[in-house]
DNA sequence: ATGGTCGTGTGACGA
């Protein structure tokens, strides 16, 4: 079973990229982030054999899931704050597995309420995942975490000091998630440096190989035991008018 | 060199 996460940076601007990826890569599940608008062309994907569910808001954020089999929606927002209306979370079941697709807040600048929102969001996510672990629900959580886990996950750690993606408080909250017994799927099979999922549009970051690894899959123990492979496909980042992110692919036994 | 590039929606703001 092939599961993919990809921050597409606008469904309107990247429609043909997404259709190309679905046609060529044929994932069972595709989870995307940053739809960046209210419109979602579900009929375009129905023609390709995919059921979809999109959580949208005007101009910003937005997450969606594409599945070859039926999607049973569990939650359309992260529990824990009824005043939080940002479209960053969808939890669903497909093929008897619980999936969570997240667009975790960026958090910059760190001296503003944007960073406290990120940390509060991560604490709410911890509580949700703790509940799933307590109930022994096997799950896969994937998405744009906006977290650089370690020095080797960025081209130049010095330039990321103090950034919300690399902040000690962010690292501490990320480790707290892992300490629920979760596994960073990519790191289980590849411990080397220079593996990135995002390259900035500015300063020739892609051409110069200056990326960061911020898109992740975290697996509960039951799914970790079933993992067959996890890798990053840098190809779509080299396409014409690309997203600034590239897909991360997870394969598990069925 | 305190810049540079995208996308939304059409003026700033977010990343």
């Amino acid at each position: 079973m092939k599961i993919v996460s990809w921050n597409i940076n606008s469904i309107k601007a990247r429609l043909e990229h997404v259709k190309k990826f679905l046609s060529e890569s044929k994932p069972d599940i595709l989870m995307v982030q940053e739809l960046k608008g209210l419109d979602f062309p579900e009929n375009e994907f129905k023609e390709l054999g995919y059921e979809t569910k999109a959580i949208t808001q005007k101009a910003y954020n937005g997450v969606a899931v594409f599945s070859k089999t039926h999607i049973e929606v569990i939650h359309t927002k992260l529990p824990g704050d009824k005043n939080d209306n940002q479209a960053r979370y969808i939890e669903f079941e497909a093929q008897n597995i619980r999936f969570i697709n997240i667009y975790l807040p960026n958090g910059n600048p760190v001296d503003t309420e944007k960073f406290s929102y990120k940390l509060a969001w991560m604490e709410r996510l911890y509580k949700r995942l703790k509940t799933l672990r307590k109930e022994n629900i096997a799950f896969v959580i994937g998405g744009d975490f906006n977290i650089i886990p370690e020095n080797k996950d960025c081209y130049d750690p010095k330039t990321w000091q103090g950034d919300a993606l690399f902040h000690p408080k962010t690292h501490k909250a990320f480790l707290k998630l892992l300490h629920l017994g979760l596994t960073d799927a990519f790191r289980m099979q590849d411990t080397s440096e220079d593996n990135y999922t995002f390259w900035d549009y500015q300063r020739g970051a892609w051409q110069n190989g200056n990326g960061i690894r911020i898109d992740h899959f975290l697996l509960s123990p039951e799914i970790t035991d079933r993992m067959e492979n996890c890798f990053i496909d840098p190809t779509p980042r080299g396409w014409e008018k690309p997203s600034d992110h590239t897909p991360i692919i997870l394969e598990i036994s069925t």
Side-chain angles (χ1 to χ4, degrees):
Chain A
M1 182 180 188
K2 184 194 281 191
I3 304 137
V4 179
S5 174
W6 187 16
N7 180 322
I8 56 174
N9 188 17
S10 164
I11 185 65
K12 192 196 292 180
R14 230 66 65 194
L15 178 59
E16 294 308 315
H17 294 59
V18 173
K19 289 169 70 176
K20 177 181 165 78
F21 183 83
L22 288 172
S23 301
E24 292 179 356
S25 187
K26 300 180 174 60
D28 295 281
I29 305 272
L30 171 63
M31 311 196 292
V32 302
Q33 304 84 35
E34 283 214 86
L35 301 173
K36 285 190 152 180
L38 289 169
D39 294 334
F40 186 81
E42 60 177 342
N43 288 335
E44 298 263 3
F45 307 116
K46 200 171 289 178
E47 289 172 13
L48 296 176
Y50 283 92
E51 182 173 323
T52 59
K53 174 69 182 179
I55 310 300
T56 64
Q57 70 179 78
K58 186 180 176 182
Y60 300 116
N61 307 318
V63 292
V65 52
F66 307 69
S67 174
K68 285 182 177 175
T69 61
H70 180 61
I71 299 164
E72 187 71 35
V73 175
I74 308 292
H75 286 298
T76 57
K77 42 172 50 177
L78 176 60
D81 182 357
K82 60 182 188 305
N83 295 318
D84 182 3
N85 291 313
Q86 298 191 28
R88 297 180 175 277
Y89 185 95
I90 180 168
E91 181 175 334
F92 61 100
E93 277 188 1
Q95 303 189 47
N96 292 314
I97 297 175
R98 184 71 56 94
F99 292 96
I100 301 175
N101 175 16
I102 62 166
Y103 177 45
L104 204 147
N106 177 294
N108 282 307
V110 294
D111 59 351
T112 68
E113 70 289 339
K114 290 185 183 306
F115 190 50
S116 50
Y117 173 69
K118 177 177 195 158
L119 295 176
W121 207 94
M122 292 185 75
E123 178 61 23
R124 286 162 58 201
L125 183 61
Y126 169 78
K127 288 197 169 80
R128 178 62 192 153
L129 300 185
K130 188 178 182 184
T131 298
L132 295 181
R133 290 288 293 117
K134 192 174 288 184
E135 294 176 356
N136 282 315
I137 295 172
F139 66 87
V140 172
I141 177 168
D144 180 354
F145 281 67
N146 272 311
I147 296 167
I148 303 166
E150 298 182 84
N151 284 4
K152 65 182 175 183
D153 297 313
C154 57
Y155 63 94
D156 184 8
K158 287 195 299 292
T159 65
W160 291 96
Q161 293 301 322
D163 191 280
L165 281 63
F166 200 64
H167 196 280
K169 289 183 176 176
T170 304
H171 284 151
K172 193 173 179 183
F174 185 64
L175 284 175
K176 194 169 168 180
L177 299 180
L178 293 177
H179 292 164
L180 288 167
L182 310 185
T183 297
D184 179 338
F186 180 81
R187 275 297 173 229
M188 184 160 61
Q189 59 80 48
D190 190 337
T191 58
S192 62
E193 57 185 12
D194 289 325
N195 288 288
Y196 306 134
T197 64
F198 169 93
W199 297 260
D200 201 289
Y201 288 126
Q202 300 184 58
R203 304 176 211 84
W206 167 248
Q207 288 76 7
N208 296 319
N210 297 337
I212 51 178
R213 190 175 73 92
I214 57 174
D215 300 86
H216 309 297
F217 279 115
L218 304 185
L219 314 180
S220 75
E222 307 87 342
I223 306 295
T224 301
D225 293 343
R226 290 169 55 180
M227 179 174 134
E228 292 175 332
N229 201 2
C230 183
F231 60 97
I232 296 160
D233 178 9
T235 313
R237 183 61 179 83
W239 289 348
E240 191 100 359
K241 298 274 267 174
S243 168
D244 40 9
H245 295 249
T246 209
I248 174 171
I249 295 103
L250 171 71
E251 292 170 342
I252 62 174
S253 61
T254 50

